[in-house]
């Protein structure tokens, strides 16, 4: 066997998005590119802002010596200072470069954090529906995912959270705006989370970290806001990237920010830097660290995604689908009209519409639509959704 049994199993269980991607390729070959409506992937459709291109050109032309060498594993001091200045402005907290570690995207950053805080067998709480990679990231570092369901609006249920935290819990990992639901947690949610964590920390006499995956923070709609997590729990670690806010996921650039309010931050950051190295990332890409330094306040125009959200959401509601209106990110997570979400997804495929079954995110009975696609894909998918709705008796 070329690969381990465990990996083979993980690939079989966690391959829904890839499976749909492959189905899409087959369907496109058969029916032609423009006749298949692929809503399965979360790859930004908008182009990076002009300021990104400007900085990129500037740094590519630079002849500064040593630009392509190793640097400290935490990243360039100047870039970490720029991130810290941005965060100080946004939070009112005294961030310095000492709380910032540059990473290879949010995925790299989350792995670094988990490796740093997990003791073998420790539990990490995640809320379902969840970003499926979390399960594998936690497992990568000898941890055990502890899944706590959200309520009917996809908000954390604090009572269930309290029950889900055990003496083995080392962290609670949250993601708002959320993939796959588009839910944005309000201040009340974070206040409640902070209270539960404080109570459980003193009950069990150990630190329980709040890890916040903020990758969609700047994609918030309807004039809403996304609270800064640092306010609510001292042992807070935020992980984010420029994959979505600058639309550069292929460039693998992000960072970890540790709360300046966390007493043990010095040792924690030393651990993060060590893990960045020994996980084999070594450091975040040098060129990108230079490019994003001046772009900390720059972002793609979220209104473009909001417009696409409105197209998709109003279409589905009008057909009778049961949908919680997403307030951020670029996903919608409707209820499947039948319990068997895989059967429903197959029905949509008959109309050349590709979505991902909810069970791929730990929430059977739903399906995920990614609306970061061209308008013609959204428009072209609507007749398929309508036929499937009629078939299963929606009004
Ligand atoms: C919730 C969430 N976290 C992390 C990632 C990974 O982001 P990155 O490309 O910055 O590694 C994604 C990517 O889609 C995501 O949806």
């Amino acid at each position: 066997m070329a690969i381990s049994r465990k990996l083979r199993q993980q690939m079989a269980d966690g391959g829904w998005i890839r499976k749909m991607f492959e189905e899409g390729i087959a369907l496109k070959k058969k029916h032609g590119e423009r006749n298949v409506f692929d809503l399965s992937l979360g790859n930004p459709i908008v182009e990076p802002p002009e300021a990104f291109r400007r900085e990129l050109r500037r740094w590519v032309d630079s002849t500064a010596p040593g630009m392509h060498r190793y640097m400290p594993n935490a990243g360039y001091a100047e870039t970490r200072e720029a991130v810290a200045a941005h965060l100080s402005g946004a939070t009112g907290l005294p961030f310095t470069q000492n709380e910032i570690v540059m990473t290879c995207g949010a995925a790299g950053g989350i792995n670094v954090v988990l490796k740093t805080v997990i003791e073998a067998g420790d539990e990490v709480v995640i809320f379902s529906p969840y970003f499926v990679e979390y399960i594998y990231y936690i497992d990568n570092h000898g941890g055990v995912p502890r899944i706590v369901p959200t309520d009917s609006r996809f908000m954390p249920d604090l009572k269930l959270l309290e029950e889900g935290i055990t003496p083995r819990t080392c962290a609670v990992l949250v993601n708002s705006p959320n993939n796959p639901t588009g839910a944005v947690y309000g201040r009340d949610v974070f206040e409640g989370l902070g209270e539960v964590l404080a109570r459980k920390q003193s009950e069990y006499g150990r630190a329980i970290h709040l890890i916040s995956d903020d990758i969609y923070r700047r994609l918030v709609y309807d004039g809403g806001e996304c609270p800064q997590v640092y306010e609510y729990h001292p042992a807070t670690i935020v992980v984010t990237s420029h994959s979505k806010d600058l639309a550069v996921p292929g460039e693998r650039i992000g960072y970890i920010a540790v709360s300046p309010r966390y007493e043990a931050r010095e040792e924690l950051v030393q651990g993060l830097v060590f893990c960045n190295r020994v996980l084999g990332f070594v450091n975040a890409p040098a060129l990108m660290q230079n490019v994003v330094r001046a772009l900390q306040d720059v972002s793609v125009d979220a209104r473009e995604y909001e417009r696409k959200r409105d197209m998709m959401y109003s279409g589905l509601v009008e057909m009778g689908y049961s949908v919680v209106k997403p307030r951020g990110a670029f996903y919608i997570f409707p209820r499947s009209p039948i319990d068997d979400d895989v059967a429903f997804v197959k029905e949509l495929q008959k109309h050349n519409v590709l979505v991902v079954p909810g069970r791929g995110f730990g929430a059977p009975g739903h399906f995920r639509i990614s609306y970061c696609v061209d308008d013609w894909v959204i428009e072209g998918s609507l007749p398929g959704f309508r036929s499937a709705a009629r078939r299963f008796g929606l009004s």
Side-chain angles (χ1 to χ4, degrees):
M1 211 183 333
I3 63 174
S4 71
R5 273 192 294 277
K6 180 174 162 182
L7 190 68
R8 189 174 280 180
Q9 190 60 48
Q10 287 183 336
M11 286 165 72
D13 294 345
W16 276 110
I17 296 178
R18 201 191 46 177
K19 216 175 278 174
M20 300 321 292
F21 181 66
E22 280 159 11
E23 299 270 1
I25 293 174
L27 280 178
K28 281 172 195 163
K29 239 185 216 159
K30 199 161 154 203
H31 301 286
E33 287 278 335
R34 297 286 289 197
N35 296 315
V36 177
F37 312 106
D38 190 347
L39 304 165
S40 66
L41 282 183
N43 211 356
I45 185 76
V46 301
E47 289 301 322
E50 181 47 36
F52 175 84
R53 293 180 197 290
R54 187 195 63 222
E55 284 301 297
L56 183 59
R57 276 193 299 270
R58 190 161 81 80
W59 284 101
V60 164
D61 286 340
S62 167
T63 52
M67 246 186 67
H68 304 289
R69 296 187 192 141
Y70 292 124
M71 84 285 306
N73 299 124
Y76 288 124
E78 298 87 333
T79 304
R80 288 156 54 219
E81 263 163 23
V83 170
H86 167 78
L87 289 177
S88 297
T91 64
L93 292 170
F95 278 94
T96 69
Q97 57 161 297
N98 298 334
E99 283 85 38
I100 312 298
V101 178
M102 302 306 296
T103 62
C104 294
I110 297 166
N111 272 280
V112 166
V113 171
L114 293 173
K115 182 171 175 64
T116 308
V117 301
I118 290 175
E119 204 77 71
D122 271 356
E123 293 172 1
V124 177
V125 171
I126 56 174
F127 293 101
S128 64
Y130 47 74
F131 176 53
V132 70
E133 308 295 275
Y134 289 160
I135 303 281
Y136 307 113
Y137 298 167
I138 294 166
D139 178 75
N140 281 346
H141 308 292
V144 179
R146 177 93 182 195
I147 295 158
V148 172
T150 49
D151 65 17
S152 59
R153 311 286 305 164
F154 302 126
M155 294 294 161
D157 181 322
L158 296 178
K159 199 165 162 297
L160 294 181
L161 170 65
E162 186 128 18
E163 288 163 15
I165 296 179
T166 75
R168 290 308 313 255
T169 306
C170 69
V172 174
L173 170 53
V174 297
N175 169 227
S176 165
N178 185 268
N179 177 7
T181 64
V184 177
Y185 302 171
R187 286 174 183 276
D188 54 330
V189 171
F190 284 111
E191 265 163 27
L193 270 169
E195 282 164 21
V196 171
L197 290 177
R199 222 171 15 250
K200 287 292 172 181
Q201 281 193 152
S202 52
E203 184 179 340
Y204 296 136
R206 68 174 295 180
I208 305 174
H209 296 94
L210 177 58
I211 307 170
S212 182
D213 177 350
D214 276 20
I215 182 169
Y216 296 103
R217 155 171 294 281
R218 301 207 188 158
L219 303 185
V220 178
Y221 313 132
D222 309 316
E225 62 145 15
C226 195
Q228 293 286 351
V229 189
Y230 309 96
E231 267 182 53
Y232 303 95
H233 185 60
T236 289
I237 309 169
V238 170
V239 185
T240 190
S241 77
H242 296 295
S243 295
K244 316 286 169 165
D245 61 25
L246 293 178
V248 294
E251 303 298 348
R252 316 306 307 135
I253 182 72
Y255 63 82
I256 303 166
V258 175
S259 174
R261 293 174 57 220
Y262 187 27
E263 273 175 21
R265 65 189 180 285
E266 197 178 323
E267 188 188 22
L268 175 66
V269 171
Q270 282 168 8
L272 297 171
V273 173
F274 178 82
C275 291
N276 210 22
R277 187 177 104 220
V278 300
L279 281 173
F281 298 120
V282 182
N283 54 250
L287 179 63
M288 281 302 133
Q289 287 193 53
N290 280 325
V291 170
V292 301
R293 187 177 304 149
L295 304 179
Q296 288 307 303
D297 296 315
V298 177
S299 186
V300 296
D301 186 353
R303 284 172 305 184
E304 182 60 7
Y305 288 124
E306 185 169 358
R307 192 181 59 74
K308 290 178 191 290
R309 189 267 325 247
D310 290 342
M311 274 172 80
M312 193 81 241
Y313 174 76
S314 56
L316 292 169
V317 168
E318 186 248 316
M319 293 170 208
Y321 284 92
S322 164
V323 202
V324 178
K325 190 172 191 179
R327 302 290 177 188
F330 37 53
Y331 309 98
I332 299 192
F333 203 65
R335 213 163 231 303
S336 161
I338 50 173
D339 288 344
D340 186 344
D341 48 332
V342 173
F344 181 70
V345 165
K346 288 204 171 121
E347 175 66 23
L348 285 175
Q349 270 176 40
K350 290 186 195 155
H351 304 281
N352 294 345
V353 175
L354 293 161
V355 299
V356 185
R359 70 184 60 182
F361 306 91
H366 294 79
F367 59 98
R368 189 193 77 170
I369 294 171
S370 171
Y371 56 82
C372 59
V373 290
D374 286 317
D375 287 0
W376 69 262
V377 180
I378 298 177
E379 280 155 10
S381 72
L382 295 178
F385 282 116
R386 183 163 287 114
S387 302
R390 285 209 187 107
R391 161 110 211 264
F392 295 115
L394 297 183
S395 57

